[in-house]
Amino acid sequence: MKRFFKIAVALAALALFLAGYTAAMARVGSGTAPDMAPKAEQADALRVDKSERRLDLLRNGEAIASYAISLGAAPEGHKGREGDERTPTGDYVIDWRNPNSIAHLSLHISYPNEADRARAAEAGVSPGGDIMIHGLPNGWGWLGAVHLVWDWTNGCIAVTDAQMREIWSLVPDGTPITITE
């Protein structure tokens, strides 16, 4: 009887997990990105503090929102080459957005800039690219803030899906972003 009870509990837990996963998958790929917030509510700059694992949305120099973030799997130091799993440091711009990203929505950071390309060329390596602010990989949004337990991206800046929807609506293309150590 105990064995039957354990199996029943395990099957019930699996059913609940699959129901949540199915609901999450139904939301993924809906193809609808959030609308942009009114201009007066939008950020005019972004600031990332890698050591504090924080992204701030700024308007007129004041934080209007702050988010805990995950970084590249090797977060210390500036990104030097493709594949080093580092998040770059420096001044960049949000230059385009992807509503059909493999991670729930994404905003592209203009890495590499001229200095990054020159450093990589001097070292004889590719600087890499495709550095984004993004949500969780599609289908994994149910993880929520658990993703903050470790740095797991390939150099990007990750937030929860709900946070990414908010960021998407508040950050227009052309917004400057400063990433500090």
Side-chain angles (χ1 to χ4, degrees):
M1 189 57 133
K2 283 184 180 181
R3 183 180 171 123
F4 174 77
F5 180 74
K6 287 180 182 179
I7 291 171
V9 168
L11 287 174
L14 178 62
L16 287 172
F17 169 78
L18 290 176
Y21 179 77
T22 301
M25 288 305 290
R27 289 189 299 274
V28 170
S30 66
T32 54
D35 292 333
M36 293 300 292
K39 183 103 173 118
E41 296 175 18
Q42 294 176 8
D44 58 21
L46 304 176
R47 177 178 57 217
V48 173
D49 185 324
K50 289 172 44 173
S51 65
E52 292 189 20
R53 303 296 190 277
R54 189 182 73 240
L55 164 65
D56 295 323
L57 277 56
L58 308 173
R59 186 172 44 247
N60 299 322
E62 298 293 322
I64 59 170
S66 292
Y67 306 91
I69 58 174
S70 288
L71 299 169
E76 285 82 27
H78 180 63
K79 183 165 194 63
R81 62 174 173 76
E82 185 173 17
D84 65 7
E85 297 189 329
R86 289 188 176 153
T87 303
T89 56
D91 295 318
Y92 301 97
V93 172
I94 301 300
D95 56 357
W96 54 271
R97 56 191 57 231
N98 184 357
N100 299 310
S101 173
I102 62 169
H104 185 70
L105 302 174
S106 59
L107 300 178
H108 186 260
I109 297 170
S110 63
Y111 174 88
N113 60 25
E114 287 183 39
D116 298 322
R117 284 190 288 278
R119 266 192 302 277
E122 187 175 306
V125 297
S126 167
D130 287 334
I131 302 298
M132 313 285 242
I133 300 171
H134 60 69
L136 300 177
N138 290 328
W140 290 89
W142 54 270
L143 280 174
V146 171
H147 84 98
L148 297 170
V149 172
W150 67 94
D151 289 315
W152 56 272
T153 76
N154 288 327
C156 294
I157 298 163
V159 295
T160 68
D161 290 356
Q163 291 168 333
M164 190 61 223
R165 293 181 71 76
E166 182 175 272
I167 293 165
W168 178 282
S169 72
L170 292 171
V171 178
D173 290 352
T175 304
I177 178 171
T178 299
I179 305 169
T180 62
E181 213 40 65

